Amino acid sequence: MLTRADRLRLIALLLWAMPVAALLPLGLLWLWRSGNLPWWLAGMVACSAAGYGFQFWLRRRDGRLLAGAQTAPDPQWPPRSQSAWDAIESMAQGVRPEDWPLTDNPRLPDLGREALETVARIYHPAVERPLLELTLPHLLLIVERAARDLRTEVAGQLPLSHRLTLGDLMRAYRWKATAGRLLDLYRAGRLVFNPAGAVLSEAWERLRRQSFGAAWSDLHRWLLQEYIRKVGYYAIELYSGRLTLSDDADTTVTPASREDLEQAATVAAELAAEPLRILVLGRANAGKSSLINALFGQLTVPADVLPDLDGTVAPYRLEHAGLTAALVFDTPGCDTAALPPKALDRLATSADLVLWVTAANRADRQVERETLDRLRTLWAARADHHPPPLLIAVSHIDLLRPPRDWQPPYDLTNPQGPKATNIRAALQAVAEDLAVPLADAIPVCLAEGRVYNVADTLWAALLERQGAADRVRLLRCLDEHKRAEDWALLRQQLSSTGRFLARVSGRLLP
């Protein structure tokens, strides 16, 4: 560098800087002769300690800011997605900045590939190379989404990042070695001419480097962790079926619900969003149709004393303050031939909330328990979906002993009298027989003229579980959209291939 520089300009620069550089040794000489050097040293140590403490506090503050800006999992994710996120978070926490220098650009894509493989192993554990299960358009989509989010966070969190160019970084990196050699030369000369000042300056420089080095290490680690989290986040979105190639995936009315709305004698265009699908199940004569009538507050479903044997599953449009527009499905008894297991499975996998009706005055619940266990196994096997919330409506509580004693309301927390005590005992028996929490068993009376505990307690329980039902509905809509998108892309690709072949054949044939 000295051979390329203008020596005369360099001499001029040194002559200009010499008086300023002489201030430190001359000042120290004056302090020593006047006896004030110990005070100056004490002040220097105090200021250095205060500066180091302030820098430590700034590092803690920046760490909190970076922690607040880190990517978090989506609460709507199903259980398998949460397991994949735990693996990604473990990988992010274990990353070491020294293993992935930012200047080694060709290696950074390897880190993203490791994050993709971590997620792929969760969803394809039996495949030897699970990453190969990823399609090219979806791989490009993950890179696009992750880079977009990381760009937003870097621009918002790192000062002057919008002004710093790649050329600036490369030039700074090229001059790093030269600047280091010149600094070492300066420090050696200072040690010869001013030993005391050089020792103090070296101590301060070490503290400063330690502090700023730790801050840079934290920032470096945060960038690597966010890179892993972003790639892992969108990989989970993809493998769980939530990330589609188009940006218009939402909860618009699905074709199946549109048909059910038309069957329910409503205009499908009235709904802009997919309705909740509430499935009412239970044994024959348990009170399913009567419960639906009570929910509507009017006679909507014919309630017969004979079991429904025609296999009809009738949808009804339900609206209530605070509830997403819903379709309620009345079903035949689960203990009849009108509801075969395959039909029950199809209904259970398309439901967002299940309302099970059981009679309080019947102790034989073995068939109900077997049916519920079958449904629980079915839901547990679908690790990419949330199981629908299950609510038990315990009907016929007015028939419990003493049968003629019916004077609601009843306090079941501290039951007083034989009727309240027997209702409480029936709820506990139902919860144990059907393996549900006691809070999920709601006692109701559905007899004509004395409907009880539906408009208040049962509706409150339904509204409380609406959030969980909405999560099930969202994943169901995404699955429907994904299937429709796959068919649309296939038709488009076949059409494009046909046009290409037609053009090629036209050129080859005379």
Side-chain angles (χ1 to χ4, degrees), residues 282-304:
R283 298 177 65 170
N285 296 328
K288 299 185 298 298
S289 300
S290 298
L291 179 65
I292 294 177
N293 289 331
L295 290 174
F296 278 88
Q298 59 184 0
L299 182 60
T300 303
V301 186
D304 299 326

PDB file of all heavy atoms in Angstrom, residues 282-304:
ATOM      1  N   GLY A 282     -74.956 -40.011  18.231  1.00  0.00           N
ATOM      2  CA  GLY A 282     -75.459 -40.658  19.435  1.00  0.00           C
ATOM      3  C   GLY A 282     -76.304 -41.854  19.073  1.00  0.00           C
ATOM      4  O   GLY A 282     -76.517 -42.171  17.890  1.00  0.00           O
ATOM      5  N   ARG A 283     -76.806 -42.526  20.074  1.00  0.00           N
ATOM      6  CA  ARG A 283     -77.660 -43.683  19.845  1.00  0.00           C
ATOM      7  C   ARG A 283     -79.040 -43.241  19.399  1.00  0.00           C
ATOM      8  O   ARG A 283     -79.431 -42.080  19.543  1.00  0.00           O
ATOM      9  CB  ARG A 283     -77.748 -44.519  21.117  1.00  0.00           C
ATOM     10  CG  ARG A 283     -76.423 -45.080  21.566  1.00  0.00           C
ATOM     11  CD  ARG A 283     -76.530 -45.835  22.863  1.00  0.00           C
ATOM     12  NE  ARG A 283     -77.368 -47.031  22.743  1.00  0.00           N
ATOM     13  CZ  ARG A 283     -77.472 -47.964  23.678  1.00  0.00           C
ATOM     14  NH1 ARG A 283     -76.777 -47.839  24.808  1.00  0.00           N
ATOM     15  NH2 ARG A 283     -78.242 -49.019  23.502  1.00  0.00           N
ATOM     16  N   ALA A 284     -79.767 -44.179  18.860  1.00  0.00           N
ATOM     17  CA  ALA A 284     -81.152 -43.897  18.473  1.00  0.00           C
ATOM     18  C   ALA A 284     -81.973 -43.550  19.716  1.00  0.00           C
ATOM     19  O   ALA A 284     -81.788 -44.133  20.790  1.00  0.00           O
ATOM     20  CB  ALA A 284     -81.756 -45.103  17.756  1.00  0.00           C
ATOM     21  N   ASN A 285     -82.856 -42.560  19.542  1.00  0.00           N
ATOM     22  CA  ASN A 285     -83.763 -42.115  20.614  1.00  0.00           C
ATOM     23  C   ASN A 285     -83.029 -41.476  21.784  1.00  0.00           C
ATOM     24  O   ASN A 285     -83.581 -41.338  22.876  1.00  0.00           O
ATOM     25  CB  ASN A 285     -84.627 -43.272  21.147  1.00  0.00           C
ATOM     26  CG  ASN A 285     -85.560 -43.822  20.083  1.00  0.00           C
ATOM     27  OD1 ASN A 285     -86.024 -43.073  19.209  1.00  0.00           O
ATOM     28  ND2 ASN A 285     -85.823 -45.112  20.129  1.00  0.00           N
ATOM     29  N   ALA A 286     -81.768 -41.050  21.567  1.00  0.00           N
ATOM     30  CA  ALA A 286     -81.056 -40.354  22.638  1.00  0.00           C
ATOM     31  C   ALA A 286     -81.472 -38.888  22.715  1.00  0.00           C
ATOM     32  O   ALA A 286     -81.233 -38.231  23.737  1.00  0.00           O
ATOM     33  CB  ALA A 286     -79.554 -40.450  22.420  1.00  0.00           C
ATOM     34  N   GLY A 287     -82.086 -38.374  21.641  1.00  0.00           N
ATOM     35  CA  GLY A 287     -82.528 -36.985  21.649  1.00  0.00           C
ATOM     36  C   GLY A 287     -81.761 -36.096  20.694  1.00  0.00           C
ATOM     37  O   GLY A 287     -81.712 -34.877  20.896  1.00  0.00           O
ATOM     38  N   LYS A 288     -81.176 -36.674  19.633  1.00  0.00           N
ATOM     39  CA  LYS A 288     -80.384 -35.871  18.695  1.00  0.00           C
ATOM     40  C   LYS A 288     -81.238 -34.820  17.986  1.00  0.00           C
ATOM     41  O   LYS A 288     -80.875 -33.638  17.946  1.00  0.00           O
ATOM     42  CB  LYS A 288     -79.715 -36.806  17.666  1.00  0.00           C
ATOM     43  CG  LYS A 288     -78.755 -37.826  18.272  1.00  0.00           C
ATOM     44  CD  LYS A 288     -78.032 -38.623  17.218  1.00  0.00           C
ATOM     45  CE  LYS A 288     -78.987 -39.449  16.359  1.00  0.00           C
ATOM     46  NZ  LYS A 288     -79.737 -40.451  17.163  1.00  0.00           N
ATOM     47  N   SER A 289     -82.361 -35.245  17.410  1.00  0.00           N
ATOM     48  CA  SER A 289     -83.219 -34.299  16.700  1.00  0.00           C
ATOM     49  C   SER A 289     -83.819 -33.275  17.652  1.00  0.00           C
ATOM     50  O   SER A 289     -83.930 -32.087  17.317  1.00  0.00           O
ATOM     51  CB  SER A 289     -84.328 -35.057  15.959  1.00  0.00           C
ATOM     52  OG  SER A 289     -83.776 -35.962  15.015  1.00  0.00           O
ATOM     53  N   SER A 290     -84.193 -33.715  18.837  1.00  0.00           N
ATOM     54  CA  SER A 290     -84.744 -32.781  19.826  1.00  0.00           C
ATOM     55  C   SER A 290     -83.703 -31.751  20.250  1.00  0.00           C
ATOM     56  O   SER A 290     -84.021 -30.584  20.484  1.00  0.00           O
ATOM     57  CB  SER A 290     -85.244 -33.553  21.052  1.00  0.00           C
ATOM     58  OG  SER A 290     -86.284 -34.448  20.705  1.00  0.00           O
ATOM     59  N   LEU A 291     -82.422 -32.183  20.323  1.00  0.00           N
ATOM     60  CA  LEU A 291     -81.359 -31.249  20.681  1.00  0.00           C
ATOM     61  C   LEU A 291     -81.190 -30.192  19.592  1.00  0.00           C
ATOM     62  O   LEU A 291     -81.007 -29.002  19.888  1.00  0.00           O
ATOM     63  CB  LEU A 291     -80.049 -32.003  20.899  1.00  0.00           C
ATOM     64  CG  LEU A 291     -78.851 -31.129  21.249  1.00  0.00           C
ATOM     65  CD1 LEU A 291     -79.061 -30.445  22.590  1.00  0.00           C
ATOM     66  CD2 LEU A 291     -77.562 -31.936  21.270  1.00  0.00           C
ATOM     67  N   ILE A 292     -81.246 -30.609  18.323  1.00  0.00           N
ATOM     68  CA  ILE A 292     -81.124 -29.645  17.231  1.00  0.00           C
ATOM     69  C   ILE A 292     -82.275 -28.651  17.278  1.00  0.00           C
ATOM     70  O   ILE A 292     -82.093 -27.436  17.095  1.00  0.00           O
ATOM     71  CB  ILE A 292     -81.067 -30.381  15.879  1.00  0.00           C
ATOM     72  CG1 ILE A 292     -79.786 -31.207  15.800  1.00  0.00           C
ATOM     73  CG2 ILE A 292     -81.143 -29.398  14.719  1.00  0.00           C
ATOM     74  CD1 ILE A 292     -79.665 -32.042  14.541  1.00  0.00           C
ATOM     75  N   ASN A 293     -83.481 -29.135  17.531  1.00  0.00           N
ATOM     76  CA  ASN A 293     -84.616 -28.223  17.663  1.00  0.00           C
ATOM     77  C   ASN A 293     -84.394 -27.236  18.800  1.00  0.00           C
ATOM     78  O   ASN A 293     -84.734 -26.045  18.683  1.00  0.00           O
ATOM     79  CB  ASN A 293     -85.898 -29.025  17.908  1.00  0.00           C
ATOM     80  CG  ASN A 293     -86.353 -29.792  16.672  1.00  0.00           C
ATOM     81  OD1 ASN A 293     -86.094 -29.370  15.545  1.00  0.00           O
ATOM     82  ND2 ASN A 293     -87.016 -30.922  16.882  1.00  0.00           N
ATOM     83  N   ALA A 294     -83.833 -27.707  19.899  1.00  0.00           N
ATOM     84  CA  ALA A 294     -83.580 -26.813  21.037  1.00  0.00           C
ATOM     85  C   ALA A 294     -82.510 -25.788  20.692  1.00  0.00           C
ATOM     86  O   ALA A 294     -82.584 -24.620  21.120  1.00  0.00           O
ATOM     87  CB  ALA A 294     -83.169 -27.639  22.261  1.00  0.00           C
ATOM     88  N   LEU A 295     -81.495 -26.184  19.913  1.00  0.00           N
ATOM     89  CA  LEU A 295     -80.478 -25.223  19.507  1.00  0.00           C
ATOM     90  C   LEU A 295     -81.062 -24.133  18.617  1.00  0.00           C
ATOM     91  O   LEU A 295     -80.694 -22.961  18.721  1.00  0.00           O
ATOM     92  CB  LEU A 295     -79.342 -25.941  18.761  1.00  0.00           C
ATOM     93  CG  LEU A 295     -78.430 -26.847  19.595  1.00  0.00           C
ATOM     94  CD1 LEU A 295     -77.458 -27.599  18.697  1.00  0.00           C
ATOM     95  CD2 LEU A 295     -77.648 -26.026  20.623  1.00  0.00           C
ATOM     96  N   PHE A 296     -81.982 -24.512  17.734  1.00  0.00           N
ATOM     97  CA  PHE A 296     -82.613 -23.531  16.864  1.00  0.00           C
ATOM     98  C   PHE A 296     -83.677 -22.717  17.598  1.00  0.00           C
ATOM     99  O   PHE A 296     -84.039 -21.637  17.144  1.00  0.00           O
ATOM    100  CB  PHE A 296     -83.255 -24.235  15.665  1.00  0.00           C
ATOM    101  CG  PHE A 296     -82.286 -24.556  14.566  1.00  0.00           C
ATOM    102  CD1 PHE A 296     -81.576 -25.746  14.574  1.00  0.00           C
ATOM    103  CD2 PHE A 296     -82.080 -23.670  13.526  1.00  0.00           C
ATOM    104  CE1 PHE A 296     -80.679 -26.043  13.569  1.00  0.00           C
ATOM    105  CE2 PHE A 296     -81.186 -23.966  12.509  1.00  0.00           C
ATOM    106  CZ  PHE A 296     -80.484 -25.155  12.525  1.00  0.00           C
ATOM    107  N   GLY A 297     -84.180 -23.252  18.702  1.00  0.00           N
ATOM    108  CA  GLY A 297     -85.237 -22.550  19.413  1.00  0.00           C
ATOM    109  C   GLY A 297     -86.591 -22.718  18.778  1.00  0.00           C
ATOM    110  O   GLY A 297     -87.555 -22.014  19.144  1.00  0.00           O
ATOM    111  N   GLN A 298     -86.701 -23.632  17.825  1.00  0.00           N
ATOM    112  CA  GLN A 298     -87.972 -23.879  17.142  1.00  0.00           C
ATOM    113  C   GLN A 298     -87.929 -25.280  16.552  1.00  0.00           C
ATOM    114  O   GLN A 298     -86.876 -25.910  16.470  1.00  0.00           O
ATOM    115  CB  GLN A 298     -88.205 -22.864  16.030  1.00  0.00           C
ATOM    116  CG  GLN A 298     -87.114 -22.881  14.968  1.00  0.00           C
ATOM    117  CD  GLN A 298     -87.307 -21.808  13.929  1.00  0.00           C
ATOM    118  OE1 GLN A 298     -88.255 -21.036  13.996  1.00  0.00           O
ATOM    119  NE2 GLN A 298     -86.406 -21.750  12.958  1.00  0.00           N
ATOM    120  N   LEU A 299     -89.093 -25.765  16.109  1.00  0.00           N
ATOM    121  CA  LEU A 299     -89.168 -27.085  15.514  1.00  0.00           C
ATOM    122  C   LEU A 299     -88.557 -27.044  14.126  1.00  0.00           C
ATOM    123  O   LEU A 299     -89.080 -26.407  13.218  1.00  0.00           O
ATOM    124  CB  LEU A 299     -90.626 -27.557  15.442  1.00  0.00           C
ATOM    125  CG  LEU A 299     -90.832 -28.962  14.862  1.00  0.00           C
ATOM    126  CD1 LEU A 299     -90.109 -29.988  15.707  1.00  0.00           C
ATOM    127  CD2 LEU A 299     -92.312 -29.291  14.764  1.00  0.00           C
ATOM    128  N   THR A 300     -87.424 -27.677  13.979  1.00  0.00           N
ATOM    129  CA  THR A 300     -86.706 -27.707  12.697  1.00  0.00           C
ATOM    130  C   THR A 300     -86.573 -29.122  12.172  1.00  0.00           C
ATOM    131  O   THR A 300     -86.680 -29.368  10.979  1.00  0.00           O
ATOM    132  CB  THR A 300     -85.305 -27.093  12.860  1.00  0.00           C
ATOM    133  OG1 THR A 300     -85.441 -25.753  13.360  1.00  0.00           O
ATOM    134  CG2 THR A 300     -84.544 -27.065  11.535  1.00  0.00           C
ATOM    135  N   VAL A 301     -86.352 -30.057  13.088  1.00  0.00           N
ATOM    136  CA  VAL A 301     -86.134 -31.449  12.722  1.00  0.00           C
ATOM    137  C   VAL A 301     -87.269 -32.279  13.289  1.00  0.00           C
ATOM    138  O   VAL A 301     -87.606 -32.146  14.473  1.00  0.00           O
ATOM    139  CB  VAL A 301     -84.783 -31.955  13.278  1.00  0.00           C
ATOM    140  CG1 VAL A 301     -84.492 -33.359  12.785  1.00  0.00           C
ATOM    141  CG2 VAL A 301     -83.668 -31.002  12.892  1.00  0.00           C
ATOM    142  N   PRO A 302     -87.900 -33.158  12.487  1.00  0.00           N
ATOM    143  CA  PRO A 302     -88.923 -34.040  13.044  1.00  0.00           C
ATOM    144  C   PRO A 302     -88.301 -35.024  14.015  1.00  0.00           C
ATOM    145  O   PRO A 302     -87.335 -35.718  13.694  1.00  0.00           O
ATOM    146  CB  PRO A 302     -89.501 -34.748  11.815  1.00  0.00           C
ATOM    147  CG  PRO A 302     -88.422 -34.657  10.780  1.00  0.00           C
ATOM    148  CD  PRO A 302     -87.715 -33.363  11.039  1.00  0.00           C
ATOM    149  N   ALA A 303     -88.803 -35.058  15.219  1.00  0.00           N
ATOM    150  CA  ALA A 303     -88.274 -35.952  16.256  1.00  0.00           C
ATOM    151  C   ALA A 303     -89.253 -37.087  16.460  1.00  0.00           C
ATOM    152  O   ALA A 303     -90.375 -36.875  16.925  1.00  0.00           O
ATOM    153  CB  ALA A 303     -88.058 -35.185  17.558  1.00  0.00           C
ATOM    154  N   ASP A 304     -88.862 -38.299  16.087  1.00  0.00           N
ATOM    155  CA  ASP A 304     -89.718 -39.479  16.202  1.00  0.00           C
ATOM    156  C   ASP A 304     -89.213 -40.367  17.323  1.00  0.00           C
ATOM    157  O   ASP A 304     -88.036 -40.332  17.694  1.00  0.00           O
ATOM    158  CB  ASP A 304     -89.710 -40.268  14.889  1.00  0.00           C
ATOM    159  CG  ASP A 304     -90.246 -39.441  13.723  1.00  0.00           C
ATOM    160  OD1 ASP A 304     -91.152 -38.612  13.960  1.00  0.00           O
ATOM    161  OD2 ASP A 304     -89.736 -39.605  12.607  1.00  0.00           O
TER     162      ASP A 304
END
